[in-house]
């Protein structure tokens, strides 16, 4: 068991694989972490989750670390809102707003941290904060239809050669994990539009609800060998079917 102190309060940690951010969230302390998603590996791209750490043996020295990447260590003293942390977060928020001045999420953070963006330039109509969650989600799906391209102020997320990506399956995972709504996804009459492509959406054979693109189901069929007929039922109806089978097996 690992014992640390967060903002002066003792915390016992039984899972040694947890990061400081995991623990901070579990004990109910709110710190910003726009590039974090529990279903994806952490990268520390946005740096908003920084905290100040020290140990009694450090003789008063401390350092700032990215909590989503830093492992829990016995004896750590963690400060989530120290003056050093607040000052750094404020600068990061200003820099992010300089790129995405119209972002509602960043504007709310700026108000929370009293961050004045007036002295920074702005990039018009930009929403993407370059957190990388969308590209990581695409990688986890085994598709890699989008990636970070260019460098410096020209850096952005895009498909190869800025063309509609042929290997995209329209799953929408990239849009789902985006913390600022930068990826446009629309659905009309059984057609999903994303990355300048259109995808037919499968209707559940039981309830008739649209639930996944045909291309996504074909990808699952090819990758895992699941029969296509078994993939044409939405998750909700599949759960109901399993529950009915279990009920008949054990209670009828």
């Amino acid at each position: 068991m690992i014992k640390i102190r967060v903002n002066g309060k003792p915390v016992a940690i039984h899972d040694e694989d947890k990061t400081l951010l995991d623990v901070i969230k579990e004990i109910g302390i709110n710190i910003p972490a726009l590039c974090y998603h529990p279903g994806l590996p952490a990268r520390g791209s946005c740096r908003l989750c920084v905290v100040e750490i020290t140990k009694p043996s450090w003789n008063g020295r401390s350092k700032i670390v990215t909590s989503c990447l830093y492992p829990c260590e016995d004896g750590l003293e963690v400060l989530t809102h120290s003056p050093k942390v607040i000052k750094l977060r404020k600068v990061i928020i200003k820099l992010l707003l300089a790129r995405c001045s119209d972002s509602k999420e960043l504007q709310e953070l700026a108000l929370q941290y009293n961050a004045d963006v007036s002295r920074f330039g702005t990039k018009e109509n930009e929403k993407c904060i370059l957190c990388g969650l969308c590209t990581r989600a695409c990688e986890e799906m085994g598709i890699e239809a989008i990636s970070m391209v260019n460098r410096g102020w020209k850096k952005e997320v895009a498909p190869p050669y800025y063309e509609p990506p042929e290997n995209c399956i329209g799953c929408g995972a990239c849009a789902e994990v985006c913390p600022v709504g930068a990826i446009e996804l629309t659905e009309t009459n059984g057609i999903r539009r994303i990355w300048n492509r259109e995808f037919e959406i499968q209707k559940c054979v039981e309830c008739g609800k649209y639930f996944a693109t045909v291309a996504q189901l074909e990808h699952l069929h090819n990758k895992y060998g699941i029969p296509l007929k078994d993939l044409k039922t939405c998750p909700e109806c599949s759960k109901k079917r399993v529950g009915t089978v279990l009920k008949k097996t054990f209670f009828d």
Side-chain angles (χ1 to χ4, degrees):
M1 183 173 65
I2 296 174
K3 294 182 179 181
I4 67 174
R5 294 178 71 86
V6 181
N7 295 339
K9 295 182 179 180
V11 180
I13 304 159
H14 298 279
D15 185 352
E16 296 183 359
D17 293 329
K18 286 184 177 180
T19 64
L20 289 179
L21 181 60
D22 293 330
V23 174
I24 290 167
K25 284 182 172 292
E26 284 180 4
I27 62 177
I29 297 175
N30 180 34
I31 63 173
L34 290 180
C35 72
Y36 171 81
H37 190 281
L40 295 170
R43 293 272 179 89
S45 303
C46 73
R47 290 293 192 272
L48 284 169
C49 69
V50 291
V51 294
E52 185 176 2
I53 63 170
T54 187
K55 282 186 177 183
S57 60
W58 291 4
N59 297 320
R61 295 189 301 272
S62 67
K63 64 179 179 179
I64 301 292
V65 298
T66 308
S67 62
C68 70
L69 296 175
Y70 203 89
C72 294
E73 297 175 350
D74 201 46
L76 274 183
E77 300 269 355
V78 183
L79 295 175
T80 61
H81 292 81
S82 69
K84 286 183 181 179
V85 168
I86 295 297
K87 183 178 180 180
L88 181 54
R89 280 199 196 129
K90 189 180 291 188
V91 171
I92 294 169
I93 291 168
K94 288 178 179 180
L95 291 172
L96 289 173
L97 268 172
R99 174 182 171 85
C100 311
S101 59
D102 296 328
S103 169
K104 183 184 295 185
E105 292 79 7
L106 291 177
Q107 288 173 358
E108 289 175 356
L109 281 176
L111 285 174
Q112 182 181 343
Y113 284 86
N114 194 27
D116 178 17
V117 74
S118 59
R119 68 190 183 93
F120 288 92
T122 59
K123 191 174 180 180
E124 291 184 3
N125 302 319
E126 181 60 71
K127 294 182 179 180
C128 177
I129 62 171
L130 301 176
C131 69
L133 278 176
C134 58
T135 60
R136 279 181 273 160
C138 199
E139 289 172 8
E140 290 294 313
M141 290 294 293
I143 304 300
E144 299 186 23
I146 54 175
S147 62
M148 293 286 185
V149 299
N150 301 322
R151 296 181 179 180
W153 66 273
K154 291 185 177 181
K155 190 174 183 180
E156 61 183 322
V157 175
Y161 305 107
Y162 295 93
E163 297 289 336
E166 294 182 3
N167 56 336
C168 179
I169 58 176
C171 66
C174 54
E176 178 68 24
V177 301
C178 179
V180 291
I183 299 175
E184 185 176 352
L185 183 152
T186 60
E187 293 181 359
T188 309
N189 299 324
I191 299 296
R192 177 177 292 173
R193 296 171 180 84
I194 188 171
W195 295 112
N196 293 319
R197 284 194 60 187
E198 293 187 350
F199 297 89
E200 179 186 355
I201 309 175
Q202 176 68 48
K203 269 187 178 182
C204 175
V205 295
E206 295 189 16
C207 69
K209 182 180 70 175
Y210 292 114
F211 70 99
T213 66
V214 172
Q216 182 180 353
L217 301 182
E218 289 175 349
H219 170 72
L220 294 173
H221 165 69
N222 294 330
K223 186 172 182 178
Y224 300 107
I226 305 172
L228 278 173
K229 63 181 181 64
D230 295 338
L231 292 169
K232 294 183 179 181
T233 304
C234 72
E236 289 81 5
C237 289
S238 296
K239 288 178 183 178
K240 289 179 183 178
R241 185 191 301 168
V242 172
T244 300
V245 171
L246 290 174
K247 183 179 179 182
K248 287 183 179 179
T249 302
F250 294 104
F251 300 105
D252 291 354

